[in-house]
Amino acid sequence: MAEIKLPRVEQGQTKIRNVPIAVTPEGFWCCPSPVVFQKTLKAQNPLNKPKSSSPPPKTTIQKKQNPLVEKKPTSTPLRPGFASDDPRSFGCDTPSISAANAVPERTSRPKLENMPRKVAIEFGEPGTSNIKVVLLGKQGFCVKLSVHKNVLIENSSFFANKLSEEQFGLSCLEIDDCEDVESYVETVGLMYCKDMKQRLMKQSVSRVLRVLKVAELLGFSLCIKSCLEYLEAVPWVGEEEEEKVVSSVLRLQGEGVGVSPVLKRVSSDVSNPPNDTLSHIMELVLKSNEERGRREMKSVVLKLLRENNSVPNNAGSADICSETIYTSCRSCLNSLVALFRQANEPEFADKSVHNKEPVVKQIVLEADNLSWLLEILAIRQAADEFALMWASQQELAALHSKIPVVTRYRISCITARLFVGIGRGELLPSKDTRQMLLQTWLQPLIDDYSWLQHGCRSFDRKVVEEGIGRTILTLPLEEQQSILLAWLGSFLKAGDNCPNLQRAFEVWWRRTFIRPYVDAQGNLVQSDRSMTSKE
């Protein structure tokens, strides 16, 4: 590692700031807040923009000129200390040497080295300390810590390596390019603290994460452990803070540090299949009879499933989710058919309104559940099978006309959503499925159209009509003609109480009577016939 000598600071180069910071008996967890550091820096005119700092701290190790005045490490509690008023007293004035030989003074130095030290803050008590740690930050920002070798060696593997037995006589240690000087001061101060947990309780999560990063660089295992205990217990506010905590903790995963208690908040060791949990959630929502809670939770689950669908490389989870949803769809559909049968029994018509109410409410509930499940499947682009299931419900469609419209119109909402999905390309059922869907459910939808317009607030007439028209136009021309001519008869009788498929009708008319593709179609038909005859 290259060694950098800190030049002697001349009068007028450095402004040493005396900060009223007491060094408590437990240590000096009393570093100025970030605002103080920022105000101090803003008071100066920066000469250069800050340089990007490298992750490992760079150090310069210097020996004393006069080893006779060296003091032994002391365990005496530190007393309040203030920065010297003499600017020349800051920094290490002794020549820089390596562990083996002295390093000759360099002729050219980086700009950061030649830049005058703008601000200097001193912590600790020089009278009792036996080593100085100088933190060199950006824009010439310097902090000097008067500390004790035995405390550094006992708590930090980084300092223990630098202050090995061969270099134990060192009196000054410089750490260059400190990205976060304040956190370095706090972390070193925690080496003197008897109860780190008590100190950390008063800090924010972001501040503890900064201390954790420095503790990792310094190899301060006791501080790392205390920070992890704090992060395991404190609430994380917001997704951004959670991501910062998780990324910081994951960085320590390979360092032999116990990070699992923190990570258990966001990951589980239980081997429960995800579809079991999801199936249980869906079941709770679908079977809820409380309208407001069911409506709100349907909205929440729908939003969360949309987020899951946006996560890349999640095909396995998507398949599991779709299977779970289709299981619920079949259950709701079977229940709906059974309820329609019950509502069409002769004795049911003779019951009072009060006695009919439970069956009617259950029909409404099951129809609403199916609409919600269809919406989820459409978002996940997995609704093709639902279209086939719905198109195959001839019995339900036959019973539909025998139920009062006030109860049955929600069934038509499901049909309308399928047509909209096909028109938007959200689902791509086969030609036979599309044809069967129109034959089975278009007329029931037309019968309920007036009620849908006036009794369903979420119904969008233009969107539904566009979806029906586009679905019809995906069929062969003969099928288009059959369906549109049947629609024309209903439209001429009902008017606004029938879907307006005029645009689809115009497209079909042009395809049929203007015949822009007649030559190509004729050639294609002849080609097909010739190939068939050869076979």
Side-chain angles (χ1 to χ4, degrees):
M1 183 181 294
E3 297 183 358
I4 300 176
K5 174 186 174 184
L6 178 62
R8 186 182 184 89
V9 185
E10 300 298 335
Q11 181 72 27
Q13 283 186 318
T14 307
K15 178 181 178 182
I16 298 184
R17 180 178 177 86
N18 288 335
V19 287
I21 299 176
V23 183
T24 66
E26 294 178 326
F28 43 84
W29 183 274
C30 45
C31 183
S33 65
V35 177
V36 174
F37 277 104
Q38 292 168 7
K39 287 183 177 179
T40 307
L41 283 173
K42 286 181 180 179
Q44 312 298 325
N45 293 322
L47 299 179
N48 295 317
K49 294 182 180 179
K51 297 183 179 180
S52 59
S53 58
S54 56
K58 301 178 183 178
T59 61
T60 299
I61 306 173
Q62 302 181 7
K63 291 189 176 182
K64 288 187 177 182
Q65 284 182 327
N66 186 5
L68 296 177
V69 294
E70 179 185 350
K71 295 186 179 180
K72 296 182 180 180
T74 176
S75 59
T76 307
L78 298 176
R79 295 193 297 265
F82 303 96
S84 169
D85 292 331
D86 184 5
R88 291 170 296 180
S89 66
F90 181 77
C92 304
D93 299 334
T94 57
S96 174
I97 62 172
S98 65
N101 301 314
V103 178
E105 187 174 349
R106 299 176 183 175
T107 56
S108 62
R109 313 187 71 83
K111 292 183 179 180
L112 183 61
E113 296 299 312
N114 292 328
M115 190 171 64
R117 303 300 176 190
K118 309 300 287 185
V119 180
I121 303 177
E122 182 173 351
F123 291 86
E125 186 175 346
T128 62
S129 66
N130 54 12
I131 189 171
K132 291 178 174 58
V133 177
V134 179
L135 307 175
L136 307 179
K138 299 178 181 179
Q139 299 180 350
F141 185 64
C142 306
V143 174
K144 180 169 69 174
L145 308 177
S146 297
V147 289
H148 305 85
K149 294 179 182 178
N150 62 322
V151 176
L152 299 181
I153 293 173
E154 290 173 3
N155 292 281
S156 167
S157 61
F158 170 78
F159 286 123
N161 292 334
K162 297 300 177 183
L163 302 174
S164 59
E165 291 297 331
E166 295 81 1
Q167 302 173 350
F168 199 75
L170 300 172
S171 62
C172 186
L173 188 67
E174 292 182 0
I175 302 180
D176 296 338
D177 297 336
C178 293
E179 185 177 354
D180 189 355
V181 174
E182 177 196 0
S183 296
Y184 269 89
V185 175
E186 293 183 76
T187 306
V188 174
L190 280 173
M191 295 181 185
Y192 289 84
C193 185
K194 295 179 181 179
D195 190 354
M196 285 191 206
K197 183 178 180 180
Q198 188 67 24
R199 294 289 182 181
L200 292 173
M201 284 176 63
K202 302 176 183 178
Q203 310 307 319
S204 64
V205 171
S206 60
R207 191 163 183 175
V208 171
L209 289 176
R210 289 162 52 196
V211 171
L212 177 62
K213 182 178 180 180
V214 177
E216 179 188 0
L217 294 174
L218 297 181
F220 188 4
S221 57
L222 187 59
C223 181
I224 293 174
K225 180 181 177 182
S226 297
C227 289
L228 291 175
E229 290 176 352
Y230 167 90
L231 294 172
E232 189 277 331
V234 73
W236 308 335
V237 181
E239 292 184 9
E240 184 179 355
E241 185 169 271
E242 178 174 311
E243 290 176 0
K244 289 180 179 179
V245 172
V246 173
S247 61
S248 298
V249 173
L250 285 175
R251 193 175 61 244
L252 297 169
Q253 202 166 18
E255 302 295 328
V257 184
V259 298
S260 57
V262 181
L263 295 178
K264 280 185 177 180
R265 190 181 296 190
V266 295
S267 62
S268 175
D269 296 333
V270 181
S271 58
N272 264 350
N275 56 333
D276 288 352
T277 304
L278 182 58
S279 176
H280 183 59
I281 293 172
M282 303 277 284
E283 184 180 1
L284 290 175
V285 175
L286 292 172
K287 291 186 176 180
S288 172
N289 292 320
E290 206 288 311
E291 183 178 356
R292 180 178 177 183
R294 184 180 68 251
R295 183 175 63 252
E296 291 184 0
M297 286 311 302
K298 281 183 176 179
S299 177
V300 170
V301 173
L302 186 62
K303 180 187 71 171
L304 294 176
L305 287 174
R306 280 173 177 163
E307 293 178 3
N308 285 2
N309 196 41
S310 65
V311 177
N313 300 324
N314 203 24
S317 177
D319 292 341
I320 293 172
C321 181
S322 297
E323 292 175 6
T324 304
I325 294 172
Y326 272 114
T327 300
S328 300
C329 286
R330 295 184 186 96
S331 175
C332 292
L333 196 53
N334 292 336
S335 176
L336 195 60
V337 172
L339 289 167
F340 266 57
R341 290 171 182 165
Q342 183 179 352
N344 278 278
E345 291 177 356
E347 58 269 18
F348 185 83
D350 300 331
K351 292 183 179 180
S352 63
V353 176
H354 178 73
N355 292 330
K356 291 180 180 178
E357 187 176 1
V359 176
V360 172
K361 283 186 176 181
Q362 195 63 28
I363 290 175
V364 173
L365 175 61
E366 298 297 348
D368 184 65
N369 288 341
L370 276 172
S371 296
W372 178 60
L373 294 171
L374 172 59
E375 190 67 33
I376 294 172
L377 291 169
I379 291 171
R380 300 175 70 83
Q381 299 177 346
D384 292 3
E385 186 179 345
F386 188 98
L388 178 60
M389 290 170 54
W390 193 250
S392 304
Q393 298 300 315
Q394 282 81 12
E395 181 184 2
L396 185 64
L399 294 171
H400 180 272
S401 60
K402 302 175 183 179
I403 303 293
V405 65
V406 67
T407 303
R408 75 188 189 204
Y409 80 91
R410 291 176 177 82
I411 304 299
S412 294
C413 289
I414 300 173
T415 303
R417 181 64 182 91
L418 281 170
F419 286 138
V420 171
I422 294 173
R424 290 175 174 174
E426 294 175 344
L427 57 157
L428 302 172
S430 66
K431 181 196 71 173
D432 293 339
T433 300
R434 299 193 305 272
Q435 182 178 350
M436 187 163 51
L437 182 66
L438 286 163
Q439 290 176 349
T440 305
W441 287 107
L442 181 57
Q443 189 57 49
L445 176 62
I446 293 174
D447 295 339
D448 296 345
Y449 207 73
S450 175
W451 189 272
L452 287 170
Q453 293 182 77
H454 302 97
C456 184
R457 288 179 292 181
S458 61
F459 185 79
D460 190 328
R461 175 173 182 168
K462 291 184 178 180
V463 172
V464 172
E465 290 172 354
E466 184 178 36
I468 298 172
R470 288 182 176 180
T471 302
I472 295 172
L473 294 174
T474 63
L475 298 177
L477 194 61
E478 293 80 4
E479 300 298 334
Q480 297 176 34
Q481 176 177 324
S482 174
I483 294 172
L484 285 172
L485 289 180
W487 160 81
L488 182 60
S490 298
F491 184 72
L492 292 175
K493 293 178 182 178
D496 285 343
N497 293 329
C498 180
N500 189 343
L501 306 181
Q502 178 181 345
R503 294 180 63 181
F505 186 83
E506 292 175 358
V507 173
W508 164 78
W509 179 280
R510 295 188 185 98
R511 290 176 178 177
T512 302
F513 297 106
I514 300 178
R515 306 170 81 79
Y517 313 112
V518 63
D519 294 335
Q521 285 180 341
N523 294 334
L524 181 61
V525 170
Q526 291 179 2
S527 175
D528 289 343
R529 288 177 179 174
S530 63
M531 290 180 64
T532 305
S533 61
K534 288 180 181 181
E535 293 177 357

